[in-house]
Amino acid sequence: VLLALFAALAAAVGIAVFRPTSFPNSANSTGRNFTEQIGNSVDSLKALGNTVANLFDSRSPGQRAGGVLASLKLKRQIILHQRALPKIRRPVSPLAGIVGAPPIPPVGTLPAGTPLYNVVNGTTRNPITVAQAGPPGGPPILFPSAPPLSGGGGGVIVPPIVTAPQQPPASDTPVVNIPPIITAPQQPPATDTPVVNPVITTPVPEPSTWAMLLLGLAMIGNILRRTRRASVKTAAC
Amino acid sequence: VKSIIAATVCALIVAAGVGWLLKLPPTSHRTASEPLHAARTPASQLPEVAKSRVSLSAAQLDEALASKTLDRPVRSLLEIDKPLHFGEFAWNDTAIGPGPLWIRVDLGSQLISVFRDGHEIGTSVIVYGGDNKETPSGTFHVRARDQNHRSSLYDAPMPYTLRLTSDGVAIHGSIVRWGAATHGCIGVPLEFARRLFDQARVGDEVTIVASKSVQPHTS
């Protein structure tokens, strides 16, 4: 409660402090910029003589560049597209930093019966096998390690049915003779081997996380504002 | 204490963002849905720059008629010593008697001039039609006046409309700023449009020319 009250008070103070004030009209400032450029030509025109055309021209903001409106929107779209393209991230293998790690084959190409391993620990306990190749085009269906019951009915996930404790639970794990895929954790820790520490995330976001979130919101708001401004351009009849 | 400081910082950032987003855009950035009438500036803040007028000599008038800058005798022009900014206009009709009204629009220099009885009483920077929606040149007559017209083609407000052609080209109040263009109409600042609307009557002559004498700006 105290925190909420304090936050509300601070918000009120912040709004009062950052209350919007008038800011310079961008249209006027833009005009001023290039009328300064025109100013030289105005002087030269006046030197030629005070004809009526010169009188008119001296008060003109200048001729409009040809096609300024038609090309403006297209250029803007291209620029936005170019800005957005480098932000597309490709999926990176989680084993990219481990020495000697083979690339993980895509899941969709695994044949049926391939055991999957816990890649973090390198152990082979409780391997999960791909029981069915799954529907074409779709991901394979993962089963816990259990003898396949009937083999049919692809697409239905069947829980392992324990009929009787005929075997000790340890022998429930099939013995796998395939050498483990991950070799790095089994080697003695070399000096240059990167140690993969598990990332511990706290359930409560840090203030920096909040700040980044708010910064993102502000950027989205800015983009929306600019988009709204740009849409005014051709609104006039 | 640490959490309180964090909450304060977060609240300040939120407040700054909210205040910044609530910041009203300037009048030249109104959205099309807002009525232009609501943003009329008070008379004390009008961007008028005209103070006096200059009379044209006979030589100047002869030269103007010969070069087809003007197509009729004009006695005086408003004296404007610096280029007008977008959104600015000049208006001075004191001591000018009644007479025929003539509107001269120059697309090349992006200017409109209003003459009454041979004297220029107002001038302003305009916006005009962009590519593929070009403003026609020629001599037109005001076909209709409509104070609160709304474009049926573009669903845009056209306050103080002076209609010129049968297909909808008109002079009306608009957002006048650099880089803007219209769908063929001639846009003038709202207050200028109001004054022009008061002066113009159906049948008044409007000449639209596209002079080439002004340098194109490079910005």
Side-chain angles (χ1 to χ4, degrees):
Chain A
V1 174
L2 182 68
L3 267 182
L5 276 178
F6 204 82
L9 182 67
V13 169
I15 288 179
V17 168
F18 293 100
R19 176 180 284 278
T21 56
S22 64
F23 55 93
N25 191 342
S26 64
N28 276 350
S29 59
T30 313
R32 192 169 296 121
N33 280 339
F34 77 84
T35 48
E36 285 173 1
Q37 301 172 5
I38 297 293
N40 294 329
S41 63
V42 167
D43 289 338
S44 62
L45 283 174
K46 280 183 178 174
L48 292 175
N50 277 329
T51 64
V52 176
N54 288 343
L55 287 176
F56 279 135
D57 293 348
S58 68
R59 64 172 74 159
S60 166
Q63 193 173 353
R64 194 176 74 185
V68 62
L69 184 75
S71 60
L72 202 62
K73 192 175 179 184
L74 188 63
K75 275 182 190 170
R76 183 181 171 83
Q77 282 176 347
I78 290 174
I79 288 172
L80 284 178
H81 193 60
Q82 286 172 345
R83 277 186 197 154
L85 272 181
K87 294 175 185 168
I88 297 175
R89 305 273 188 240
R90 305 256 179 257
V92 180
S93 166
L95 301 177
I98 299 178
V99 178
I104 297 179
V107 179
T109 60
L110 280 179
T114 305
L116 300 178
Y117 297 96
N118 191 341
V119 296
V120 176
N121 297 329
T123 59
T124 58
R125 250 166 22 104
N126 296 329
I128 303 171
T129 56
V130 180
Q132 295 289 326
I141 302 161
L142 300 182
F143 280 81
S145 174
L149 293 175
S150 61
V156 180
I157 298 176
V158 182
I161 301 171
V162 180
T163 55
Q166 298 170 355
Q167 302 168 357
S171 66
D172 201 8
T173 307
V175 179
V176 179
N177 293 327
I178 304 171
I181 298 174
I182 309 300
T183 57
Q186 292 182 352
Q187 296 168 352
T191 55
D192 56 348
T193 303
V195 179
V196 182
N197 290 325
V199 179
I200 300 170
T201 57
T202 55
V204 179
E206 296 288 330
S208 61
T209 313
W210 282 111
M212 193 182 297
L213 174 72
L214 294 170
L215 196 66
L217 283 176
M219 289 175 69
I220 291 171
N222 190 17
I223 290 171
L224 285 178
R225 275 167 56 98
R226 291 191 179 191
T227 313
R228 202 170 51 195
R229 279 187 201 174
S231 65
V232 180
K233 266 188 190 309
T234 54
C237 159
Chain B
V1 174
K2 196 176 177 183
S3 61
I4 288 176
I5 292 174
T8 309
V9 170
C10 288
L12 274 176
I13 293 172
V14 169
V18 167
W20 175 67
L21 283 177
L22 289 180
K23 190 160 59 180
L24 286 177
T27 54
S28 63
H29 293 149
R30 279 185 305 265
T31 57
S33 58
E34 295 176 45
L36 282 168
H37 306 276
R40 184 186 300 171
T41 52
S44 59
Q45 299 173 7
L46 285 179
E48 285 194 59
V49 292
K51 295 294 181 285
S52 58
R53 56 180 60 250
V54 288
S55 296
L56 295 185
S57 65
Q60 282 177 313
L61 186 58
D62 289 343
E63 190 277 335
L65 292 174
S67 64
K68 295 181 179 176
T69 306
L70 300 172
D71 62 348
R72 66 198 67 200
V74 167
R75 298 193 219 171
S76 70
L77 297 178
L78 294 173
E79 183 175 20
I80 296 166
D81 53 355
K82 63 181 179 57
L84 293 171
H85 297 155
F86 282 86
E88 278 185 343
F89 69 92
W91 192 276
N92 184 7
D93 60 351
T94 56
I96 303 296
L101 195 82
W102 175 52
I103 300 171
R104 178 184 184 271
V105 176
D106 190 343
L107 305 181
S109 59
Q110 305 194 77
L111 288 174
I112 185 173
S113 291
V114 183
F115 296 89
R116 192 174 76 200
D117 195 25
H119 298 279
E120 189 184 30
I121 59 173
T123 185
S124 171
V125 182
I126 62 166
V127 290
Y128 62 98
D131 288 356
N132 306 320
K133 295 284 183 185
E134 291 168 1
T135 302
S137 297
T139 299
F140 306 91
H141 295 272
V142 176
R143 288 171 166 250
R145 296 164 78 248
D146 190 351
Q147 186 170 345
N148 289 309
H149 188 66
R150 187 165 187 89
S151 170
S152 57
L153 285 174
Y154 306 109
D155 195 26
M158 298 167 61
Y160 303 113
T161 288
L162 299 175
R163 189 175 175 133
L164 301 181
T165 68
S166 59
D167 57 350
V169 172
I171 301 173
H172 62 84
S174 177
I175 297 166
V176 179
R177 61 188 177 94
W178 180 85
T182 69
H183 288 99
C185 284
I186 295 159
V188 293
L190 187 66
E191 177 60 26
F192 184 87
R194 187 185 67 79
R195 298 184 184 205
L196 179 59
F197 186 82
D198 288 342
Q199 296 288 327
R201 294 292 176 265
V202 172
D204 285 342
E205 201 168 334
V206 179
T207 303
I208 302 178
V209 298
S211 69
K212 303 287 184 188
S213 57
V214 190
Q215 305 269 335
H217 63 75
T218 55
S219 62

